[in-house]
Amino acid sequence: MMEFVLPDKAHDESRQGEALMLEQNDKNNGRKLYIESYGCAMNFSDSEIVASILMDKGFETTSDYRNADVVFINTCSIRENAEQRVRNRLREFGIAKVKNPGMVVGVLGCMAERLKSKFLEEEKLVDVVVGPDAYRDLPNLIDQVDDGQRAVNVLLSREETYADINPVRLNSNGINAFVSIMRGCDNMCSFCVVPFTRGRERSRDPQSIVKECTDLFNAGYREVTLLGQNVDSYKWSPSQTLPEGKGLNEESLPSGEVGGAFVNFAQLLEMVALIHPDLRIRFSTSHPKDITDEVLYTMKKHDNICKYIHLPVQSGNSRVLELMNRTYDREWYMNRVDAINRIMPECAISTDIIAGFCTETEEEHADTLSMMDYVKYDYAYMFMYSERPGTLAAKRYADDIPEAVKNRRLQEIVAKQREYSHYRLQGHVGKVHRVLIEGFSKKSDKDYCGRNDQNAMMVFPVDERFKPGQYVNVFAESCTTATLLGKIV
Ligand code: 5AD
Ligand code: SF4
């Protein structure tokens, strides 16, 4: 499962609600589109695909939903509070629609997929509901709404990867971009709605990925984050084809892979790394059951693959992991962490943790805390368990940990993580880091910001010789709770 804040922290909710816009026109003659995205990096990336599809049909964009002809909200369903936020936002769109009755309001993505036509019953102002595999149908669906109907397409696909669609970069700094390498998930973690909202796992043609990344590099981008719910199960067979019949051919396979072999994630990473040494590569999310030493050695081999792995543990206790259907246990996870530390001692590791999963005891919670002591994560996304309708856990287990207990366990996890985040940042102090300048710091245009290889944010005084999009060596002098402070050397 994937999560970031700008490239890396896919489920950072601080990014939720960020408005995404674009511009163009033709047959729709300047109709204005507004898209707002919630949730994971994959949702943000999907909004760029939606934008591309509609710009091809002549839509323009606007940053103000009150002036828009079409207002889309690309939703997240992963936790209940994410859905509540979407409903609140729809109320605000409803007020704008009173003044502008021709406005088309659409719900896209995971929550659309989960609720399907029920959404139209529950939210009277919603005109169109579209699941994540049906975006090519959006122009037709908008036509139907223009003809006075309400429209739904929530069909999931086994093939759709939007491989041939060149995403429009929304709200981009021109330096970092998300590139989706696969869709869906076959893992069935018992707490998770994603297999139901995003459908079966399928990998995208590696040539289309390499082409998209090459085009980004040529357009000045310097960092791509390869996205998938479980990138380690990326697998492409040369017999697979793009929708229009353009598949991977033997000449285009990496050397040594000719003759019907699969392309796995390690090989894909290498193909992207070889585009240019100045193109940095990140990826998310890694699944502890699938991450191989081959991936780790590929990371080690290429300086431009960032030494950072998002490796969600969810729980540190083997019984709870089994109930979660994560298909690894505590020892297996520790073994993978040991492999990372052995092969790339400098590699940063982040995680996702769920507090208070069904039947979790105090001792089992203590195992999660001790796992945190073992790994000393650089960063963590921490959640209280919330039951999601339709999931295996909702069907099989009682959500029996009282809210107050879940909350207290979460606070213990958060407090511990705060210490380790600080510990890891302090480990970077006194060293020189290669940083890609991403722009000016949020607080001052006298400072630049950018991340080091391990994904730690650094802030340092502007030096006129260097511009955003360039790499600089920065000496870390000190750190705050979340940021390294330094100067270019
Ligand atoms: N309750 C709490 N957290 C959840 N996550 C996914 N589903 C749930 C749920 N029902 C968390 C997991 C996952 C991250 C994206 O969200 O930690 O890795
Ligand atoms: Fe991630 Fe598991 Fe959900 Fe798949 S089912 S998206 S691996 S948490």
Side-chain angles (χ1 to χ4, degrees):
M1 175 79 233
M2 108 108 310
E3 347 288 333
F4 300 61
V5 171
L6 272 171
D8 283 283
K9 292 152 191 171
H11 265 268
D12 184 330
E13 297 185 355
S14 69
R15 292 189 68 213
Q16 293 190 349
E18 194 175 321
L20 300 176
M21 289 96 4
L22 25 139
E23 220 109 29
Q24 205 224 351
N25 73 49
D26 78 35
K27 120 165 193 280
N28 278 288
N29 211 11
R31 285 180 88 186
K32 289 202 163 40
L33 168 66
Y34 173 90
I35 309 183
E36 197 165 287
S37 302
Y38 289 78
C40 67
M42 189 69 87
N43 264 6
F44 282 75
S45 170
D46 278 3
S47 288
E48 301 186 329
I49 288 167
V50 168
S52 172
I53 290 168
L54 289 177
M55 283 172 68
D56 263 3
K57 298 291 172 190
F59 278 83
E60 288 185 10
T61 62
T62 173
S63 55
D64 183 357
Y65 68 88
R66 283 165 293 229
N67 299 332
D69 300 295
V70 174
V71 172
F72 282 154
I73 187 158
N74 189 357
T75 64
C76 176
S77 228
I78 203 112
R79 283 175 298 278
E80 199 178 353
N81 59 3
E83 292 199 350
Q84 198 47 51
R85 218 164 292 143
V86 168
R87 293 198 194 267
N88 294 343
R89 194 66 179 137
L90 283 171
R91 306 264 171 288
E92 287 164 35
F93 294 157
I95 295 166
K97 199 173 167 164
V98 172
K99 290 193 192 134
N100 176 8
M103 181 194 268
V104 176
V105 175
V107 178
L108 315 180
C110 292
M111 193 176 167
E113 190 63 49
R114 197 177 79 73
L115 293 173
K116 303 190 168 66
S117 52
K118 206 163 152 243
F119 224 122
L120 295 182
E121 291 154 31
E122 288 177 10
E123 301 284 346
K124 296 291 176 215
L125 77 113
V126 173
D127 305 297
V128 48
V129 175
V130 188
D133 287 345
Y135 296 145
R136 287 181 203 269
D137 198 25
L138 272 170
N140 295 329
L141 297 168
I142 293 173
D143 283 349
Q144 284 179 35
V145 176
D146 289 343
D147 291 343
Q149 301 162 43
R150 296 168 97 198
V152 181
N153 187 344
V154 288
L155 287 177
L156 288 172
S157 158
R158 278 175 174 261
E159 287 91 34
E160 181 63 273
T161 60
Y162 301 109
D164 57 315
I165 292 182
N166 200 10
V168 175
R169 303 294 156 185
L170 297 169
N171 275 11
S172 166
N173 60 3
I175 296 165
N176 320 95
F178 293 124
V179 174
S180 152
I181 64 165
M182 58 206 294
R183 299 182 71 81
C185 184
D186 283 350
N187 284 307
M188 289 302 212
C189 299
S190 64
F191 51 81
C192 184
V193 285
V194 168
F196 306 100
T197 61
R198 289 192 162 271
R200 297 302 297 270
E201 180 182 290
R202 63 223 100 115
S203 297
R204 175 178 169 190
D205 184 326
Q207 291 305 318
S208 76
I209 297 168
V210 170
K211 180 177 183 307
E212 185 175 333
C213 294
T214 306
D215 290 348
L216 284 164
F217 182 78
N218 290 336
Y221 285 79
R222 289 296 174 265
E223 185 178 286
V224 290
T225 301
L226 307 180
L227 295 180
Q229 309 297 344
N230 172 4
V231 291
D232 300 295
S233 66
Y234 177 89
K235 194 175 183 191
W236 174 267
S237 139
S239 61
Q240 286 172 253
T241 49
L242 283 172
E244 70 276 55
K246 286 186 213 132
L248 186 67
N249 56 43
E250 292 202 345
E251 296 89 86
S252 58
L253 281 163
S255 57
E257 297 308 316
V258 180
F262 289 105
V263 175
N264 65 18
F265 182 58
Q267 291 156 344
L268 176 73
L269 263 183
E270 177 144 84
M271 289 164 78
V272 178
L274 290 173
I275 291 171
H276 197 285
D278 284 345
L279 181 67
R280 253 187 181 184
I281 295 121
R282 298 185 187 275
F283 55 87
S284 190
T285 294
S286 301
H287 198 303
K289 82 176 158 69
D290 291 323
I291 188 167
T292 59
D293 287 358
E294 189 190 1
V295 166
L296 303 180
Y297 282 114
T298 306
M299 291 175 73
K300 182 187 171 80
K301 181 171 161 196
H302 295 279
D303 285 343
N304 57 336
I305 304 179
C306 290
K307 305 300 178 274
Y308 168 67
I309 298 176
H310 183 61
L311 195 70
V313 68
Q314 312 296 2
S315 165
N317 175 270
S318 295
R319 188 192 73 93
V320 174
L321 287 169
E322 186 164 352
L323 291 186
M324 288 176 164
N325 199 27
R326 290 289 288 176
T327 69
Y328 55 84
D329 61 12
R330 179 180 172 90
E331 286 63 41
W332 175 278
Y333 187 91
M334 287 173 151
N335 169 290
R336 294 290 75 211
V337 169
D338 293 346
I340 295 168
N341 290 337
R342 187 176 66 243
I343 295 166
M344 293 173 292
E346 75 284 21
C347 188
I349 305 177
S350 64
T351 200
D352 293 342
I353 298 175
I354 298 177
F357 187 67
C358 315
T359 74
E360 183 189 68
T361 65
E362 288 302 326
E363 292 70 35
E364 289 165 342
H365 163 63
D367 281 347
T368 297
L369 296 172
S370 79
M371 180 67 91
M372 297 175 75
D373 292 331
Y374 187 78
V375 184
K376 302 185 174 62
Y377 293 107
D378 290 72
Y379 196 92
Y381 299 87
M382 298 155 284
F383 313 102
M384 272 197 286
Y385 173 61
S386 76
E387 185 175 275
R388 307 305 293 126
T391 55
L392 292 182
K395 287 182 194 147
R396 287 185 192 162
Y397 314 121
D399 179 10
D400 58 351
I401 306 301
E403 200 72 3
V405 175
K406 280 185 190 169
N407 192 32
R408 194 249 311 141
R409 290 182 189 169
L410 178 65
Q411 293 321 316
E412 288 172 13
I413 290 167
V414 168
K416 193 175 273 297
Q417 184 51 43
R418 200 171 290 136
E419 281 173 32
Y420 284 125
S421 293
H422 195 234
Y423 165 83
R424 288 295 185 186
L425 272 188
Q426 276 180 322
H428 292 311
V429 172
K431 295 179 184 148
V432 174
H433 302 265
R434 189 161 187 260
V435 173
L436 173 61
I437 308 174
E438 293 179 17
F440 293 100
S441 101
K442 270 189 223 134
K443 290 196 184 131
S444 157
D445 60 8
K446 293 193 173 61
D447 289 327
Y448 279 144
C449 68
R451 282 164 304 135
N452 71 1
D453 215 18
Q454 285 79 10
N455 207 38
M457 185 53 84
M458 295 196 79
V459 169
F460 43 94
V462 168
D463 176 332
E464 296 296 341
R465 290 171 302 163
F466 304 104
K467 300 270 169 288
Q470 286 185 302
Y471 292 93
V472 281
N473 289 323
V474 181
F475 178 75
E477 294 170 320
S478 62
C479 66
T480 67
T481 50
T483 311
L484 290 165
L485 306 175
K487 59 170 192 273
I488 296 177
V489 290

